[in-house]
Amino acid sequence: MTPDVPNSACEAVKVLLNLSLDRTFDYFIPPALRGRIQPGMRVSVPFGKSKKPRSAYVAALVPRSERNDLKPVLAIEGDDERPLVTPALARLGDWMADYYCCTREQAFRSLLPGAVRNGRIRPKTVKQYYLADAAKAEQFLASAPPRQKKRADLVRLVFLQPGRTADFLLAETGASAAQLAGLVKNGMFVTEKKQAGRDPFRHAEIKPTRPLDPTPGQKAAIDMIQAALDAAPDPSVPHTILLHGVTCSGKTEVYLQSIAHVLEKGGDAVVLVPEISLTPQTVLRFRARFGEQVSVLHSGLTDGERFDEWMKVHAGKVRIAVGARSALFAPFRNLKLIIVDEEHETSYKQSEAPRYNARDVAVVRGRMEGAVVVLGSATPSMESYRNALEGKYRLAVMPERCDPSVFLPEVHVADMRLEANEEEKIPFFSKELISAVRERLSRKEQCILFLNKRGYSRQMQCDACGFVPACENCSVAYTYHRRNESLVCHYCGDVLPAPE
């Protein structure tokens, strides 16, 4: 849609249907809907010979179509006529379709959770009870016979606590549902349905926290992030900051204080964590600091909970979204900060089309919407660290732990070539490892031995010349599998028979 053409002057729309055809279809806007339809809305349209209407998303509005045989848009779907896909997210979806070589329909599906996309979930409502006539209620309480004690208790409770649900009233008074219904039928009570949110953390005990005094490393990182947030968006200045902090250096406190700065300026923030299992504890920490301004978005919620949490963001009721990679598409309209915690994790990669990496898409969304992106990790990915060294990202380093009483572990790397025995064979364990384990056992302490390999041996080496077969494609040693006597490259899948 061209910017100088108002909605009311547009006579047609281009819509996307869930058909994986990677194209839009034109429909004309009937007079009753003209001026009401916007890009990103879900609408109902006829398609083909099917008698059942299909749901579609409006990709663009046009003054007129090149075709003259258009079918009409039937209706706007949903209880709210605000677009489900914001213009900024629509641009991001177009970029994803182009960059990740998928259809626009697939890209747009990833922008909305299934609970919102399918249109079958509705807001949860509860029936609340109120007195129809206070004078009539007082007269009933004054003259109620003993056999109507339960009804009198119900009237008295609603008089004192109007707007309660049936479950509460029946539990408090011990009355029956029939007695409650009778009071509604005879006009003593009136009911009203009100929307009630599904809170996935309604049973969690949250104790409020206050900002901590930052360490020098934290202070430097916070100052860098806040300076980037306060500066006007400039394409020549990197909007992405790599926060390289060792374990227990206090990266979460940096996130919290940076988000507090965003909220003071009236902006919104998204926080991504790599695993769903980490989301609850992360949300609790953020809710302890920011209260009900935090929403949680991930696939581990029920459809109803996910619908309500997403709608909180859509309606502007919350300012912070925390979740796994799908939380990146939270429909904020004033996004100022995106935080990707543990940015090196491979779980940020989507395994089905569009096969996007949430970390990379976060950088692109930040650039499109003028938001600062913070990539946090104790072990940054090689590509992110290279981008920081080349000046594409800014680098904030926190080399010390925030608790001086906690030290980093000492790491010893043993050169197994020096461990060869008299027969020139290399043992499985080094002498240093065996000595250290025995020393711990003598102290009644515990040890953990972690073996992160597949196959019988990580490599096959010639005892005579030291030759190690390596994959020509990946330049890594083949893994020896004894069961089928083969050499396997676990990077590209190349397989060779093991030499005798």
Side-chain angles (χ1 to χ4, degrees):
M1 173 182 170
T2 55
D4 56 339
V5 180
N7 286 11
S8 57
C10 293
E11 299 180 355
V13 294
K14 293 183 178 294
V15 303
L16 287 168
L17 292 114
N18 188 18
L19 298 173
S20 296
L21 296 176
D22 201 19
R23 55 160 294 188
T24 58
F25 294 87
D26 290 3
Y27 288 83
F28 80 83
I29 305 175
L33 298 179
R34 197 160 296 172
R36 295 169 54 193
I37 294 181
Q38 302 177 52
M41 278 185 169
R42 186 173 64 222
V43 295
S44 178
V45 296
F47 188 79
K49 298 180 180 180
S50 174
K51 296 181 180 180
K52 185 178 180 180
R54 285 179 176 265
S55 292
Y57 287 93
V58 178
L61 282 79
V62 292
R64 61 189 60 85
S65 174
E66 298 177 356
R67 301 178 63 93
N68 55 11
D69 58 344
L70 300 184
K71 296 179 180 180
V73 175
L74 301 178
I76 298 174
E77 294 187 357
D79 302 324
D80 192 341
E81 291 195 359
R82 282 176 296 183
L84 294 175
V85 180
T86 64
L89 283 176
R91 291 195 301 271
L92 185 65
D94 290 338
W95 177 86
M96 290 174 61
D98 179 62
Y99 188 81
Y100 292 106
C101 301
C102 66
T103 65
R104 288 187 71 193
E105 299 95 302
Q106 289 174 321
F108 269 65
R109 279 203 303 270
S110 66
L111 301 178
L112 295 171
V116 177
R117 189 173 62 242
N118 58 34
R120 292 192 294 267
I121 306 298
R122 289 288 182 267
K124 180 183 177 182
T125 59
V126 294
K127 186 186 293 185
Q128 297 177 333
Y129 291 80
Y130 299 87
L131 289 177
D133 187 340
K136 183 179 178 181
E138 291 178 0
Q139 183 179 0
F140 173 77
L141 291 175
S143 60
R147 59 186 177 83
Q148 293 193 359
K149 181 180 181 304
K150 295 295 185 183
R151 285 187 172 87
D153 291 342
L154 285 169
V155 173
R156 189 176 294 107
L157 185 57
V158 173
F159 184 85
L160 296 173
Q161 301 185 42
R164 291 291 190 169
T165 63
D167 291 342
F168 177 84
L169 296 175
L170 299 180
E172 289 293 315
T173 62
S176 65
Q179 290 171 322
L180 180 61
L183 290 171
V184 175
K185 187 175 181 180
N186 66 22
M188 185 71 70
F189 290 168
V190 292
T191 61
E192 182 180 342
K193 284 189 175 181
K194 289 191 176 180
Q195 187 171 326
R198 310 169 183 94
D199 186 2
F201 294 96
R202 56 189 174 276
H203 300 304
E205 294 184 7
I206 301 176
K207 296 181 179 179
T209 62
R210 294 179 177 273
L212 304 176
D213 294 331
T215 64
Q218 288 175 320
K219 183 69 166 56
I222 293 170
D223 290 344
M224 179 184 291
I225 296 171
Q226 291 184 356
L229 290 167
D230 294 339
D234 185 350
S236 63
V237 178
H239 71 287
T240 303
I241 298 173
L242 177 61
L243 180 59
H244 182 193
V246 299
T247 304
C248 296
S249 60
K251 293 188 290 294
T252 302
E253 185 64 27
V254 173
Y255 302 155
L256 292 167
Q257 296 195 25
S258 300
I259 291 175
H261 186 76
V262 169
L263 299 185
E264 290 175 1
K265 301 293 184 179
D268 305 316
V270 169
V271 181
L272 301 185
V273 293
E275 297 287 346
I276 293 176
S277 59
L278 297 177
T279 307
Q281 66 187 44
T282 305
V283 171
L284 292 178
R285 292 192 67 176
F286 279 79
R287 281 200 169 184
R289 186 69 58 89
F290 302 112
E292 296 300 320
Q293 298 184 86
V294 181
S295 178
V296 55
L297 297 172
H298 61 77
S299 58
L301 304 177
T302 66
D303 285 346
E305 291 171 342
R306 201 172 186 188
F307 175 87
D308 285 352
E309 292 295 304
W310 191 91
M311 282 299 177
K312 287 180 185 178
V313 179
H314 184 252
K317 295 179 180 179
V318 295
R319 307 279 300 283
I320 306 165
V322 180
R325 58 176 177 264
S326 61
L328 172 61
F329 307 117
F332 287 120
R333 290 167 174 79
N334 191 24
L335 184 63
K336 294 301 180 184
L337 179 64
I338 303 175
I339 294 172
V340 184
D341 193 27
E342 306 294 346
E343 62 89 24
H344 62 277
E345 283 284 349
T346 57
S347 54
Y348 281 124
K349 296 180 180 179
Q350 174 80 358
S351 60
E352 56 190 27
R355 292 176 172 84
Y356 66 90
N357 187 324
R359 178 201 61 200
D360 299 339
V361 179
V363 174
V364 174
R365 185 179 183 186
R367 185 179 68 241
M368 286 183 172
E369 300 192 36
V372 174
V373 181
V374 177
L375 309 179
S377 177
T379 54
S381 60
M382 292 297 295
E383 56 268 31
S384 295
Y385 196 68
R386 177 65 180 251
N387 286 334
L389 295 180
E390 292 183 346
K392 295 180 181 179
Y393 298 166
R394 280 178 275 187
L395 180 62
V397 181
M398 297 193 300
E400 299 177 354
R401 297 192 173 190
C402 56
D403 185 353
S405 64
V406 179
F407 297 94
L408 290 172
E410 293 185 10
V411 178
H412 296 267
V413 179
D415 187 348
M416 298 303 293
R417 293 174 298 180
L418 304 178
E419 299 287 336
N421 57 22
E422 297 177 355
E423 300 177 356
E424 297 299 326
K425 290 186 178 181
I426 298 176
F428 195 77
F429 297 119
S430 67
K431 297 175 183 177
E432 184 178 7
L433 174 61
I434 295 173
S435 174
V437 171
R438 285 176 175 169
E439 182 180 351
R440 267 59 188 178
L441 294 177
S442 66
R443 298 178 186 173
K444 306 298 182 181
E445 296 175 348
Q446 296 172 317
C447 301
I448 293 178
L449 298 182
F450 178 63
L451 183 64
N452 58 334
K453 75 178 185 70
R454 287 180 287 181
Y456 181 78
S457 177
R458 282 170 289 187
Q459 64 184 32
M460 175 176 277
Q461 183 178 23
C462 177
D463 292 338
C465 66
F467 173 73
V468 177
C471 176
E472 295 180 356
N473 302 319
C474 308
S475 299
V476 297
Y478 282 108
T479 300
Y480 172 50
H481 288 257
R482 187 176 183 180
R483 178 176 298 176
N484 52 6
E485 291 294 331
S486 62
L487 298 177
V488 180
C489 174
H490 289 293
Y491 285 82
C492 67
D494 190 27
V495 181
L496 296 177
E500 297 180 1

